[in-house]
Amino acid sequence: MPRSARATSLTRRGLLAAGSAVGLGAALAACGGGDGKESGKSGTASGGKGGAWSFTDDRGSKVALAATPKNIVAFTGTAAALKDFGVEVKGVFGPTTVKDPKTGAVTPDVQAGDLDVAKVTVIGNVWGEFRIEEYLKLNPDVLVTDMWEKDALWYVPEEQKDKILKIAPTVALWAAGTSMPTVLQRHADLAGSLGADVASARIKADKARFEAAAERVRKAAKAKKGIKVLIGSGSPDTFYVSTPVRPTDTLFFQELGVDLVVPDKLDPSGWFELLSWENVDKYQADVILLDNRASALQPEALKAKPTWAALPAVKAGQVFPRVTEPVYSYAKCAPLLEDLAKALENAKKVA
């Protein structure tokens, strides 16, 4: 799971300065109450060709508007997926840019995909950051984000949620607990409702590539039975071993036959087991898929951990990056499967 499952160890920032609270409250009041949702059957959508628009999200909440949304604000990864399907957004929140501590150079975060980060308004770049006044300036028609836990809007700060929901209706799509092909289809459904041509030759080709990559993983997993794969993420004091049955990508890997380590002592969040660096060898694995996000320690930094360096997979050079929060488009998920297939095809039994 994304790092918010570690929310107890993170500091959420309060972003509403006392000096602007009165003006902000007036602006929110002008927007009216409610979040524009009605009860509806999940999976239905209409619009995209002018006239009224509606979409029923993965909460079963139906958003109905007089016209297809134009001013869209989305979680960065969701925005990147929509772009791949042919939908542009006005603003984003979530990991969008990364600043090099040595050079000061600012580059797109891995979750930004092919977004032109210079052309979108970034209203929050880290966990807990959501600048409501900047959000208001965008005059949003709808806010779109992921959902890792039921009814929880990803990267929408809990302490600001009530104010945010008064500004525009919200759409939430599952990013967990559902296998990757279904999640991809739901993103395509949303993009199609917003006017994208999701039956274009390009998207058909992207989907065909994804399906071919999935079959390649299936064949590699069958040919390399006994190769154990661990899903992990490093922090200065803790190594997180993820359960494969909740994230959409690892759930799909299991369905394709990949033999994934299943931790036996999950933390209260139910997403992973926390290991001290002294006990990082609890699960012997032949291959490690390592969280590639900027918030996690990468292989270069992990060299300083002697117990990490001693792991069989590390010594064998069988550690590969895992895109922990995928951009849910066929164009972005196909390479993830291709990389996994290649890793399995070349993997040796070392643990």
Side-chain angles (χ1 to χ4, degrees):
M1 167 170 195
R3 235 164 243 269
S4 80
R6 313 175 194 181
T8 55
S9 64
L10 295 171
T11 300
R12 293 178 176 234
R13 294 193 224 169
L15 299 174
L16 298 179
S20 63
V22 174
L24 178 59
L28 288 169
C31 289
D35 63 0
K37 294 184 292 183
E38 305 170 6
S39 175
K41 182 180 178 182
S42 180
T44 61
S46 65
K49 302 294 182 181
W53 177 87
S54 68
F55 185 84
T56 302
D57 73 3
D58 290 347
R59 297 169 295 181
S61 297
K62 182 179 180 180
V63 179
L65 299 174
T68 301
K70 298 299 181 186
N71 295 340
I72 303 167
V73 175
F75 169 66
T76 303
T78 313
L82 289 174
K83 180 176 177 60
D84 285 348
F85 282 115
V87 176
E88 301 286 347
V89 306
K90 291 290 184 70
V92 296
F93 55 96
T96 308
T97 60
V98 178
K99 186 175 183 179
D100 188 305
K102 295 181 180 179
T103 67
V106 176
T107 56
D109 188 275
V110 64
Q111 294 185 62
D114 291 334
L115 286 176
D116 186 339
V117 297
K119 291 185 177 180
V120 293
T121 299
V122 181
I123 62 176
N125 195 50
V126 297
W127 180 258
E129 183 178 62
F130 194 110
R131 291 185 285 273
I132 295 183
E133 290 182 324
E134 293 301 311
Y135 181 49
L136 280 164
K137 290 176 184 178
L138 294 172
N139 192 27
D141 296 318
V142 67
L143 180 149
V144 186
T145 189
D146 287 347
M147 184 169 58
W148 289 82
E149 300 280 359
K150 184 173 174 56
D151 298 332
L153 301 179
W154 188 232
Y155 266 80
V156 173
E158 188 65 28
E159 60 271 22
Q160 294 175 275
K161 186 176 71 172
D162 290 346
K163 293 176 180 177
I164 293 168
L165 293 184
K166 290 179 180 178
I167 298 171
T170 60
V171 168
L173 297 180
W174 274 117
T178 304
S179 188
M180 183 176 275
T182 300
V183 173
L184 288 168
Q185 183 59 56
R186 291 293 289 142
H187 283 73
D189 292 343
L190 176 59
S193 81
L194 292 169
D197 181 6
V198 294
S200 68
R202 177 181 61 81
I203 293 177
K204 285 182 177 179
D206 290 340
K207 186 175 182 180
R209 180 184 173 188
F210 172 82
E211 291 171 344
E215 185 57 28
R216 183 179 168 189
V217 170
R218 191 189 305 276
K219 291 179 178 178
K222 185 176 181 180
K224 291 296 182 79
K225 278 194 176 298
I227 295 292
K228 204 76 173 177
V229 180
L230 182 147
I231 310 297
S233 181
S235 70
D237 300 318
T238 308
F239 186 71
Y240 297 82
V241 179
S242 296
T243 178
V245 298
R246 297 189 72 181
T248 182
D249 59 335
T250 55
L251 181 56
F252 190 41
F253 299 166
Q254 277 194 320
E255 292 172 356
L256 294 173
V258 180
D259 189 0
L260 297 176
V261 169
V262 179
D264 57 27
K265 192 177 180 180
L266 297 178
D267 80 326
S269 77
W271 283 91
F272 34 64
E273 180 172 355
L274 283 62
L275 299 178
S276 67
W277 284 106
E278 290 77 11
N279 297 312
V280 74
D281 61 352
K282 176 178 178 179
Y283 299 104
Q284 293 296 300
D286 304 292
V287 171
I288 296 175
L289 300 183
L290 189 68
D291 188 347
N292 76 331
R293 292 172 298 174
S295 57
L297 295 183
Q298 298 306 305
E300 188 63 31
L302 288 172
K303 287 180 180 179
K305 305 284 187 184
T307 51
W308 167 261
L311 293 176
V314 177
K315 291 194 289 185
Q318 294 184 165
V319 177
F320 305 97
R322 176 203 174 205
V323 180
T324 304
E325 293 184 57
V327 171
Y328 288 113
S329 69
Y330 295 111
K332 293 297 184 296
C333 288
L336 307 187
L337 295 178
E338 290 166 350
D339 290 344
L340 175 60
K342 184 178 179 180
L344 291 174
E345 289 162 354
N346 295 325
K348 297 178 180 179
K349 186 70 181 173
V350 295

mmCIF file of all heavy atoms in Angstrom, residues 100-134:
data_model
loop_
_atom_site.group_PDB
_atom_site.id
_atom_site.type_symbol
_atom_site.label_atom_id
_atom_site.label_comp_id
_atom_site.label_asym_id
_atom_site.label_seq_id
_atom_site.Cartn_x
_atom_site.Cartn_y
_atom_site.Cartn_z
ATOM 1 N N ASP A 100 15.987 17.796 -6.373
ATOM 2 C CA ASP A 100 17.262 17.158 -6.058
ATOM 3 C C ASP A 100 17.939 17.935 -4.926
ATOM 4 O O ASP A 100 18.201 19.133 -5.070
ATOM 5 C CB ASP A 100 18.165 17.137 -7.294
ATOM 6 C CG ASP A 100 19.422 16.307 -7.083
ATOM 7 O OD1 ASP A 100 20.155 16.576 -6.112
ATOM 8 O OD2 ASP A 100 19.687 15.410 -7.901
ATOM 9 N N PRO A 101 18.213 17.284 -3.787
ATOM 10 C CA PRO A 101 18.789 18.009 -2.652
ATOM 11 C C PRO A 101 20.183 18.556 -2.928
ATOM 12 O O PRO A 101 20.624 19.503 -2.262
ATOM 13 C CB PRO A 101 18.822 16.946 -1.545
ATOM 14 C CG PRO A 101 18.817 15.635 -2.261
ATOM 15 C CD PRO A 101 18.014 15.854 -3.503
ATOM 16 N N LYS A 102 20.879 17.989 -3.896
ATOM 17 C CA LYS A 102 22.232 18.443 -4.201
ATOM 18 C C LYS A 102 22.250 19.564 -5.232
ATOM 19 O O LYS A 102 22.930 20.566 -5.062
ATOM 20 C CB LYS A 102 23.072 17.265 -4.696
ATOM 21 C CG LYS A 102 23.299 16.179 -3.645
ATOM 22 C CD LYS A 102 24.153 15.053 -4.201
ATOM 23 C CE LYS A 102 24.382 13.966 -3.147
ATOM 24 N NZ LYS A 102 25.190 12.832 -3.681
ATOM 25 N N THR A 103 21.497 19.386 -6.311
ATOM 26 C CA THR A 103 21.541 20.361 -7.402
ATOM 27 C C THR A 103 20.408 21.369 -7.362
ATOM 28 O O THR A 103 20.492 22.431 -7.971
ATOM 29 C CB THR A 103 21.500 19.634 -8.757
ATOM 30 O OG1 THR A 103 20.205 18.997 -8.900
ATOM 31 C CG2 THR A 103 22.593 18.585 -8.844
ATOM 32 N N GLY A 104 19.326 21.016 -6.644
ATOM 33 C CA GLY A 104 18.161 21.892 -6.612
ATOM 34 C C GLY A 104 17.276 21.740 -7.824
ATOM 35 O O GLY A 104 16.243 22.401 -7.945
ATOM 36 N N ALA A 105 17.651 20.872 -8.750
ATOM 37 C CA ALA A 105 16.865 20.674 -9.962
ATOM 38 C C ALA A 105 15.521 20.028 -9.619
ATOM 39 O O ALA A 105 15.438 19.128 -8.785
ATOM 40 C CB ALA A 105 17.625 19.796 -10.942
ATOM 41 N N VAL A 106 14.470 20.515 -10.261
ATOM 42 C CA VAL A 106 13.122 19.996 -10.040
ATOM 43 C C VAL A 106 12.711 19.159 -11.238
ATOM 44 O O VAL A 106 12.758 19.618 -12.380
ATOM 45 C CB VAL A 106 12.112 21.138 -9.825
ATOM 46 C CG1 VAL A 106 10.694 20.591 -9.685
ATOM 47 C CG2 VAL A 106 12.483 21.943 -8.581
ATOM 48 N N THR A 107 12.322 17.926 -10.983
ATOM 49 C CA THR A 107 11.913 17.009 -12.049
ATOM 50 C C THR A 107 10.564 16.394 -11.696
ATOM 51 O O THR A 107 10.156 16.387 -10.535
ATOM 52 C CB THR A 107 12.950 15.882 -12.233
ATOM 53 O OG1 THR A 107 13.140 15.208 -10.975
ATOM 54 C CG2 THR A 107 14.281 16.450 -12.708
ATOM 55 N N PRO A 108 9.849 15.860 -12.691
ATOM 56 C CA PRO A 108 8.560 15.231 -12.396
ATOM 57 C C PRO A 108 8.722 13.999 -11.512
ATOM 58 O O PRO A 108 9.664 13.227 -11.676
ATOM 59 C CB PRO A 108 8.030 14.843 -13.782
ATOM 60 C CG PRO A 108 8.742 15.742 -14.739
ATOM 61 C CD PRO A 108 10.106 15.943 -14.149
ATOM 62 N N ASP A 109 7.820 13.836 -10.574
ATOM 63 C CA ASP A 109 7.776 12.626 -9.765
ATOM 64 C C ASP A 109 7.367 11.459 -10.654
ATOM 65 O O ASP A 109 6.688 11.641 -11.677
ATOM 66 C CB ASP A 109 6.769 12.803 -8.626
ATOM 67 C CG ASP A 109 6.787 11.662 -7.622
ATOM 68 O OD1 ASP A 109 6.107 10.647 -7.861
ATOM 69 O OD2 ASP A 109 7.499 11.793 -6.614
ATOM 70 N N VAL A 110 7.744 10.249 -10.254
ATOM 71 C CA VAL A 110 7.400 9.067 -11.037
ATOM 72 C C VAL A 110 5.894 8.945 -11.217
ATOM 73 O O VAL A 110 5.421 8.453 -12.250
ATOM 74 C CB VAL A 110 7.986 7.793 -10.382
ATOM 75 C CG1 VAL A 110 7.372 7.549 -9.014
ATOM 76 C CG2 VAL A 110 7.791 6.576 -11.274
ATOM 77 N N GLN A 111 5.122 9.431 -10.252
ATOM 78 C CA GLN A 111 3.668 9.316 -10.346
ATOM 79 C C GLN A 111 3.049 10.306 -11.323
ATOM 80 O O GLN A 111 1.859 10.198 -11.642
ATOM 81 C CB GLN A 111 3.040 9.489 -8.965
ATOM 82 C CG GLN A 111 3.399 8.361 -8.012
ATOM 83 C CD GLN A 111 2.676 8.462 -6.698
ATOM 84 O OE1 GLN A 111 1.453 8.407 -6.637
ATOM 85 N NE2 GLN A 111 3.420 8.611 -5.613
ATOM 86 N N ALA A 112 3.843 11.250 -11.809
ATOM 87 C CA ALA A 112 3.314 12.238 -12.745
ATOM 88 C C ALA A 112 3.202 11.703 -14.166
ATOM 89 O O ALA A 112 2.568 12.334 -15.020
ATOM 90 C CB ALA A 112 4.181 13.503 -12.732
ATOM 91 N N GLY A 113 3.818 10.554 -14.427
ATOM 92 C CA GLY A 113 3.713 9.978 -15.764
ATOM 93 C C GLY A 113 4.144 10.950 -16.840
ATOM 94 O O GLY A 113 5.215 11.559 -16.754
ATOM 95 N N ASP A 114 3.289 11.140 -17.844
ATOM 96 C CA ASP A 114 3.591 12.049 -18.953
ATOM 97 C C ASP A 114 2.959 13.423 -18.785
ATOM 98 O O ASP A 114 2.891 14.207 -19.745
ATOM 99 C CB ASP A 114 3.113 11.439 -20.282
ATOM 100 C CG ASP A 114 3.938 10.232 -20.684
ATOM 101 O OD1 ASP A 114 5.113 10.143 -20.280
ATOM 102 O OD2 ASP A 114 3.409 9.363 -21.406
ATOM 103 N N LEU A 115 2.489 13.730 -17.583
ATOM 104 C CA LEU A 115 1.941 15.068 -17.350
ATOM 105 C C LEU A 115 3.002 16.127 -17.594
ATOM 106 O O LEU A 115 4.165 15.953 -17.223
ATOM 107 C CB LEU A 115 1.460 15.206 -15.906
ATOM 108 C CG LEU A 115 0.166 14.506 -15.478
ATOM 109 C CD1 LEU A 115 -0.039 14.711 -13.982
ATOM 110 C CD2 LEU A 115 -1.026 15.036 -16.256
ATOM 111 N N ASP A 116 2.611 17.225 -18.195
ATOM 112 C CA ASP A 116 3.485 18.393 -18.287
ATOM 113 C C ASP A 116 3.296 19.163 -16.979
ATOM 114 O O ASP A 116 2.347 19.939 -16.842
ATOM 115 C CB ASP A 116 3.119 19.254 -19.489
ATOM 116 C CG ASP A 116 4.102 20.398 -19.716
ATOM 117 O OD1 ASP A 116 4.810 20.763 -18.756
ATOM 118 O OD2 ASP A 116 4.159 20.920 -20.843
ATOM 119 N N VAL A 117 4.185 18.914 -16.023
ATOM 120 C CA VAL A 117 3.979 19.469 -14.682
ATOM 121 C C VAL A 117 4.076 20.987 -14.655
ATOM 122 O O VAL A 117 3.656 21.617 -13.681
ATOM 123 C CB VAL A 117 4.969 18.849 -13.669
ATOM 124 C CG1 VAL A 117 4.732 17.349 -13.546
ATOM 125 C CG2 VAL A 117 6.411 19.131 -14.068
ATOM 126 N N ALA A 118 4.619 21.577 -15.720
ATOM 127 C CA ALA A 118 4.708 23.039 -15.784
ATOM 128 C C ALA A 118 3.391 23.663 -16.244
ATOM 129 O O ALA A 118 3.194 24.874 -16.108
ATOM 130 C CB ALA A 118 5.829 23.457 -16.734
ATOM 131 N N LYS A 119 2.481 22.835 -16.768
ATOM 132 C CA LYS A 119 1.234 23.371 -17.314
ATOM 133 C C LYS A 119 0.017 23.075 -16.458
ATOM 134 O O LYS A 119 -1.100 23.468 -16.806
ATOM 135 C CB LYS A 119 1.019 22.833 -18.728
ATOM 136 C CG LYS A 119 2.026 23.379 -19.749
ATOM 137 C CD LYS A 119 1.691 22.908 -21.154
ATOM 138 C CE LYS A 119 2.645 23.504 -22.176
ATOM 139 N NZ LYS A 119 2.330 23.054 -23.561
ATOM 140 N N VAL A 120 0.214 22.374 -15.361
ATOM 141 C CA VAL A 120 -0.899 22.132 -14.444
ATOM 142 C C VAL A 120 -0.638 22.880 -13.149
ATOM 143 O O VAL A 120 0.503 23.116 -12.773
ATOM 144 C CB VAL A 120 -1.086 20.623 -14.162
ATOM 145 C CG1 VAL A 120 -1.529 19.890 -15.407
ATOM 146 C CG2 VAL A 120 0.175 20.005 -13.579
ATOM 147 N N THR A 121 -1.708 23.262 -12.479
ATOM 148 C CA THR A 121 -1.577 23.918 -11.187
ATOM 149 C C THR A 121 -1.431 22.849 -10.104
ATOM 150 O O THR A 121 -2.297 21.985 -9.969
ATOM 151 C CB THR A 121 -2.811 24.783 -10.886
ATOM 152 O OG1 THR A 121 -2.934 25.804 -11.895
ATOM 153 C CG2 THR A 121 -2.687 25.443 -9.516
ATOM 154 N N VAL A 122 -0.343 22.906 -9.372
ATOM 155 C CA VAL A 122 -0.082 21.939 -8.312
ATOM 156 C C VAL A 122 -0.584 22.528 -6.999
ATOM 157 O O VAL A 122 -0.006 23.478 -6.483
ATOM 158 C CB VAL A 122 1.416 21.591 -8.221
ATOM 159 C CG1 VAL A 122 1.653 20.551 -7.126
ATOM 160 C CG2 VAL A 122 1.934 21.081 -9.561
ATOM 161 N N ILE A 123 -1.664 21.978 -6.481
ATOM 162 C CA ILE A 123 -2.243 22.529 -5.247
ATOM 163 C C ILE A 123 -1.779 21.770 -4.011
ATOM 164 O O ILE A 123 -2.179 22.094 -2.894
ATOM 165 C CB ILE A 123 -3.780 22.563 -5.323
ATOM 166 C CG1 ILE A 123 -4.366 21.155 -5.465
ATOM 167 C CG2 ILE A 123 -4.231 23.452 -6.461
ATOM 168 C CD1 ILE A 123 -5.872 21.131 -5.443
ATOM 169 N N GLY A 124 -0.932 20.772 -4.216
ATOM 170 C CA GLY A 124 -0.345 20.027 -3.111
ATOM 171 C C GLY A 124 0.638 19.029 -3.671
ATOM 172 O O GLY A 124 0.329 18.326 -4.636
ATOM 173 N N ASN A 125 1.835 18.974 -3.087
ATOM 174 C CA ASN A 125 2.882 18.114 -3.636
ATOM 175 C C ASN A 125 3.303 17.006 -2.671
ATOM 176 O O ASN A 125 4.025 16.100 -3.064
ATOM 177 C CB ASN A 125 4.107 18.952 -4.015
ATOM 178 C CG ASN A 125 5.077 18.215 -4.906
ATOM 179 O OD1 ASN A 125 4.699 17.637 -5.923
ATOM 180 N ND2 ASN A 125 6.346 18.199 -4.530
ATOM 181 N N VAL A 126 2.838 17.098 -1.435
ATOM 182 C CA VAL A 126 3.207 16.102 -0.426
ATOM 183 C C VAL A 126 1.966 15.722 0.374
ATOM 184 O O VAL A 126 0.930 16.383 0.302
ATOM 185 C CB VAL A 126 4.299 16.625 0.535
ATOM 186 C CG1 VAL A 126 5.591 16.930 -0.214
ATOM 187 C CG2 VAL A 126 3.814 17.870 1.273
ATOM 188 N N TRP A 127 2.093 14.651 1.149
ATOM 189 C CA TRP A 127 0.984 14.178 1.972
ATOM 190 C C TRP A 127 0.526 15.268 2.933
ATOM 191 O O TRP A 127 1.324 15.917 3.602
ATOM 192 C CB TRP A 127 1.435 12.940 2.752
ATOM 193 C CG TRP A 127 0.374 12.364 3.623
ATOM 194 C CD1 TRP A 127 0.257 12.513 4.975
ATOM 195 C CD2 TRP A 127 -0.730 11.556 3.214
ATOM 196 N NE1 TRP A 127 -0.860 11.845 5.436
ATOM 197 C CE2 TRP A 127 -1.479 11.240 4.373
ATOM 198 C CE3 TRP A 127 -1.159 11.066 1.981
ATOM 199 C CZ2 TRP A 127 -2.632 10.465 4.320
ATOM 200 C CZ3 TRP A 127 -2.300 10.278 1.932
ATOM 201 C CH2 TRP A 127 -3.020 9.988 3.091
ATOM 202 N N GLY A 128 -0.773 15.524 2.970
ATOM 203 C CA GLY A 128 -1.338 16.509 3.881
ATOM 204 C C GLY A 128 -1.392 17.912 3.323
ATOM 205 O O GLY A 128 -1.919 18.813 3.971
ATOM 206 N N GLU A 129 -0.883 18.107 2.111
ATOM 207 C CA GLU A 129 -0.853 19.458 1.525
ATOM 208 C C GLU A 129 -1.947 19.572 0.463
ATOM 209 O O GLU A 129 -1.945 18.846 -0.538
ATOM 210 C CB GLU A 129 0.516 19.706 0.894
ATOM 211 C CG GLU A 129 0.677 21.103 0.319
ATOM 212 C CD GLU A 129 2.078 21.315 -0.246
ATOM 213 O OE1 GLU A 129 2.452 20.595 -1.193
ATOM 214 O OE2 GLU A 129 2.796 22.182 0.281
ATOM 215 N N PHE A 130 -2.880 20.497 0.686
ATOM 216 C CA PHE A 130 -3.958 20.755 -0.266
ATOM 217 C C PHE A 130 -4.352 22.215 -0.089
ATOM 218 O O PHE A 130 -5.047 22.578 0.867
ATOM 219 C CB PHE A 130 -5.149 19.829 0.014
ATOM 220 C CG PHE A 130 -6.171 19.779 -1.093
ATOM 221 C CD1 PHE A 130 -6.322 18.643 -1.878
ATOM 222 C CD2 PHE A 130 -7.006 20.868 -1.327
ATOM 223 C CE1 PHE A 130 -7.273 18.589 -2.895
ATOM 224 C CE2 PHE A 130 -7.958 20.836 -2.332
ATOM 225 C CZ PHE A 130 -8.096 19.696 -3.123
ATOM 226 N N ARG A 131 -3.893 23.059 -1.008
ATOM 227 C CA ARG A 131 -4.130 24.503 -0.893
ATOM 228 C C ARG A 131 -5.527 24.819 -1.429
ATOM 229 O O ARG A 131 -5.736 24.948 -2.644
ATOM 230 C CB ARG A 131 -3.042 25.281 -1.626
ATOM 231 C CG ARG A 131 -1.675 25.177 -0.953
ATOM 232 C CD ARG A 131 -0.643 26.059 -1.622
ATOM 233 N NE ARG A 131 -0.202 25.513 -2.893
ATOM 234 C CZ ARG A 131 0.788 24.634 -3.031
ATOM 235 N NH1 ARG A 131 1.449 24.191 -1.973
ATOM 236 N NH2 ARG A 131 1.133 24.189 -4.223
ATOM 237 N N ILE A 132 -6.462 24.981 -0.508
ATOM 238 C CA ILE A 132 -7.860 25.152 -0.902
ATOM 239 C C ILE A 132 -8.068 26.433 -1.708
ATOM 240 O O ILE A 132 -8.861 26.453 -2.661
ATOM 241 C CB ILE A 132 -8.775 25.131 0.341
ATOM 242 C CG1 ILE A 132 -8.719 23.754 1.008
ATOM 243 C CG2 ILE A 132 -10.211 25.444 -0.048
ATOM 244 C CD1 ILE A 132 -9.638 23.606 2.200
ATOM 245 N N GLU A 133 -7.370 27.493 -1.367
ATOM 246 C CA GLU A 133 -7.563 28.743 -2.103
ATOM 247 C C GLU A 133 -7.140 28.585 -3.568
ATOM 248 O O GLU A 133 -7.783 29.123 -4.482
ATOM 249 C CB GLU A 133 -6.793 29.871 -1.421
ATOM 250 C CG GLU A 133 -7.418 30.271 -0.083
ATOM 251 C CD GLU A 133 -6.687 31.428 0.570
ATOM 252 O OE1 GLU A 133 -5.449 31.484 0.451
ATOM 253 O OE2 GLU A 133 -7.358 32.254 1.197
ATOM 254 N N GLU A 134 -6.059 27.840 -3.803
ATOM 255 C CA GLU A 134 -5.637 27.583 -5.189
ATOM 256 C C GLU A 134 -6.655 26.684 -5.897
ATOM 257 O O GLU A 134 -6.912 26.850 -7.093
ATOM 258 C CB GLU A 134 -4.250 26.920 -5.204
ATOM 259 C CG GLU A 134 -3.126 27.807 -4.712
ATOM 260 C CD GLU A 134 -3.005 29.076 -5.541
ATOM 261 O OE1 GLU A 134 -2.984 28.961 -6.790
ATOM 262 O OE2 GLU A 134 -2.954 30.169 -4.943
#
